[in-house]
Each structure stands twice: as structure tokens, then as C-alpha cells.
Amino acid sequence: MTVMVREIKPEVRADLEGFAHVRHSALPFYVITPDSLAYDVAHFHPDARYRPLLAEEDGEIIGSAQVGLLHETPTPVQGFINVYVHPDRTRRGAATLLVRAAEEYLAGLGATRLLAWVLDEPGNRAFAEAHGYTAGRSSHFQRLDLANGTLPPLQDLPPGVELRPAADFADDPRPIFELDAETTADEPSEAGSAELADYEGWLENTWRHPLNNLDLTTIALVDGRPAAFTAARTDGGTRYTTGMTGTARAFRGRGLAKLAKNDSLHRARAAGYTEAFTGNDTGNEPMLAINKWFGYEICATEVRYVRELG
Ligand SMILES: CC(C)(COP(=O)(O)OP(=O)(O)OC[C@H]1O[C@@H](n2cnc3c(N)ncnc32)[C@H](O)[C@@H]1OP(=O)(O)O)[C@@H](O)C(=O)NCCC(=O)NCCS
């Protein structure tokens, strides 16, 4: 039984399927498909130097790692290493080999701070600590049963407010980019605030991403100006996940995030989606309160572990 680590070959369907299968088995609340992975490899921003790695044991794909640079955060140069091993194939050395390969690659790119999402279980935490990582901020995955649960009723729109699908902005998505950039900058994160400054990169990696569902994404406009949004991502099956929810600073506290997300969730349910997922920093009290109001329940917690390279 020999475990080896190598780069994914995006032209090989079995690699894409194996990677997505491992991720889905280890972290079912995270939406990924072989096609979305292929798209990421082809379209990730070049500055991210994205390199997904696989661990194989006798030809079977048993581990996966997303590896690259967080190019949208300010200095220091930060790298990400997200390692997941199939739950039936742990304790064979796959994660150790993945971490080693990822660290070598990122150090070679000049990264001085490494960030790794770690599912909050004692074995995973001990593994991260043994590799020199220290616990940072954490994040809750939350799940909403769209098929059997109840959603809050659709609300009446306040005067001057209208709701539109993102698809209505297909000719000129720039106002949605600006809203995303303003609100993403305020999202709490261990990596520091992200600066979305590259419109073309955003079009490629967010707007045109195959999981991004423009029909189910809802934009709330106030007097014709985009003020809040919730970005829907869907996997082509029955799973819906939130890419981002945000309200422009001048419009917060008026119920617009709830309004946009409620509209999107109602439309997702009507379109046949049965499960909705979302994830938030455990310090993001407004967003956690909003998600609780919808009926989301916490289903897992991940901790962002950090290693400073000397
Ligand atoms: C989180 C965010 C989307 C909220 O937008 P909003 O339009 O102000 O939200 P709403 O007005 O619809 O709902 C606000 C709710 O948050 C809750 N809330 C607000 N401040 C809170 C606080 N300090 N503690 C706990 N709950 C709070 C309340 O439940 C409130 O609902 P209520 O007024 O009906 O009681 C907005 O602050 C934002 O864009 N933040 C930055 C981006 C971000 O973190 N997005 C979420 C990550 S995906």
C-alpha cells in the first residue's frame, strides 16, 4: 500500500471525479462538482497560482488539497492549504504528504503565512497542531431543509424597494461587482479583509462560475440602485448554497439582506432544490441571526489554522 501525492490533471475526468468525491465525503456541506473543479483550475486568477493536489493509494484517489495564494488579501503573502482525506481512508499518511507538498509549493512562491481550514474534531485539530499550526477564527456551516422545513413567508416590499434576479444584469454586471466588493471587504475573516479590485477576474471567477446561478441570485434595489444581494450557487442537482450575502453600508439594518435571501430561497424551493447550505464566521452575529431566522441549523464548524513561516 503506497500513498503518493500529485497534481490534479484537469483533462482526466477520473481525477476531477475523485477529487470531488473525496471533498463531498469529507465535507458534505461544501458544494463542488467535477465541472466546477475543472472550471476553477482553468479560470482561477493567475496570481492565485492555484494547484489542487491529489493523494492516491494504489490508483485510488483518497485525499485532496486545494492549494494556492490568497491574492485578494493585503500583505503578508498568504497561502491556503485545505486538505481533506476520505473518511474511510484516514491514518495512511495521505494528509501528511499533502501538507508537505503544499507547504513546499507555497514557500517556493514566497508565502509567509499559511491558512488551513480544519474541521473541528479533536483528531483534525491535533493533526494541525502537530504540523505547527495555531487555531484562529472559526466558521459555522449551516443547513436548511428546503424540502421539509418551513421558510418565513415572503415579505411585502418597502416603498422604493424592488427585487430582481441577477440575470437581469447580464448586460452590465458592474453594479453587482461593486456591491460584492464593498460588502466582501466587511466580512470578518482570519485572512483579513478581501479587496475585490479586479472586475475582469470577478467576471471570470464569480459571475461566470458554473455553480453561480444568476436566475436564483436576488438583488434588492432601492430607488433603482443595487443595495443588497444574495448570491445563489447550485450544483445542477438539488443542492443550493450561498456564495455571499451583503448589504451596502448605507442600507444596513433595514431588512434588505433578509428580503433578498428570502426571495432567493423561496424561488430555489419552487425550482426543486431540497437542501440549502451556508457558512459564516462565528463572529458574524448579524448574518448568523439572519440565517437562524430562516431556520438554518449549524451542522459543522471549521477552524482556520494558521502557520507563520519564519
Ligand atoms: C450581514 C449583512 C449582510 C446584514 O445586512 P442587513 O441588510 O443589515 O441585514 P437585515 O437588515 O436584513 O437583517 C439584520 C438582522 O441582523 C441581526 N443583527 C443585526 N445586528 C446584530 C448584532 N450586532 N448582533 C446580532 N444580530 C444582529 C438582527 O437579527 C437583524 O434582524 P432584525 O432587524 O429583523 O432583528 C451586512 O451587515 C453585511 O453586508 N455585512 C458584510 C458582509 C457579510 O459579512 N456578509 C455575510 C457573509 S456571507
Side-chain angles (χ1 to χ4, degrees):
M1 301 281 204
T2 314
V3 179
M4 53 160 279
V5 163
R6 63 174 173 83
E7 257 182 75
I8 200 167
K9 295 191 198 98
E11 66 284 7
V12 176
R13 191 74 192 167
D15 275 14
L16 300 171
E17 286 173 354
F19 190 106
H21 175 67
V22 167
R23 277 301 293 247
H24 183 71
S25 309
L27 196 69
F29 335 103
Y30 180 87
V31 174
I32 185 171
T33 65
D35 289 336
S36 76
L37 179 61
Y39 188 90
D40 285 342
V41 176
H43 298 272
F44 232 73
H45 197 286
D47 293 348
R49 310 291 293 270
Y50 186 48
R51 179 180 282 189
L53 300 175
L54 291 174
E56 253 180 349
E57 184 183 45
D58 303 330
E60 180 194 357
I61 294 167
I62 64 166
S64 66
Q66 291 168 308
V67 184
L69 295 175
L70 292 167
H71 67 285
E72 282 165 340
T73 58
T75 49
V77 183
Q78 303 192 95
F80 59 91
I81 303 184
N82 301 321
V83 170
Y84 297 89
V85 174
H86 192 290
D88 298 339
R89 299 287 186 273
T90 54
R91 312 303 296 257
R92 293 159 194 234
T96 300
L97 290 174
L98 286 164
V99 169
R100 193 177 300 153
E103 286 182 341
E104 264 174 38
Y105 172 65
L106 293 173
L109 296 178
T112 55
R113 190 169 192 254
L114 305 181
L115 296 167
W117 281 116
V118 174
L119 202 55
D120 187 10
E121 286 164 11
N124 299 335
R125 295 186 77 129
F127 175 85
E129 282 155 25
H131 283 81
Y133 288 73
T134 309
R137 300 184 74 99
S138 52
S139 177
H140 290 315
F141 280 107
Q142 298 139 81
R143 178 181 180 274
L144 177 66
D145 184 346
L146 277 182
N148 305 302
T150 53
L151 282 173
L154 286 170
Q155 308 109 298
D156 292 334
L157 298 183
V161 174
E162 65 179 302
L163 299 176
R164 302 252 296 269
D168 284 6
F169 292 81
D171 289 344
D172 179 17
R174 183 129 204 156
I176 314 307
F177 165 71
E178 281 162 9
L179 185 56
D180 194 1
E182 178 180 332
T183 56
T184 297
D186 289 348
E187 194 181 358
S189 162
E190 186 60 51
S193 73
E195 290 167 15
L196 307 188
D198 174 4
Y199 179 53
E200 292 302 321
W202 178 87
L203 284 175
E204 189 93 342
N205 291 300
T206 302
W207 186 259
R208 296 190 199 115
H209 193 278
L211 298 179
N212 198 29
N213 191 320
L214 296 178
D215 293 322
L216 295 182
T217 291
T218 297
I219 316 293
L221 292 91
V222 177
D223 300 330
R225 173 187 160 188
F229 77 113
T230 195
R233 295 188 134 212
T234 51
D235 69 354
T238 56
R239 287 150 42 97
Y240 165 109
T241 188
T242 303
M244 175 67 187
T245 298
T247 300
R249 290 175 200 125
F251 295 97
R252 287 183 191 156
R254 300 191 198 176
L256 293 175
K258 281 182 173 175
L259 205 60
K261 193 161 181 175
N262 203 21
D263 174 76
S264 175
L265 285 168
H266 274 268
R267 294 190 298 112
R269 185 172 66 179
Y273 290 91
T274 59
E275 271 187 307
F277 297 98
T278 197
N280 302 111
D281 187 278
T282 53
N284 197 339
E285 286 172 13
M287 202 61 226
L288 289 168
I290 292 169
N291 287 328
K292 200 168 170 191
W293 179 76
F294 284 115
Y296 281 89
E297 288 175 1
I298 294 170
C299 52
T301 300
E302 282 200 313
V303 181
R304 203 94 190 255
Y305 269 82
V306 184
R307 182 170 171 212
E308 309 285 349
L309 297 181

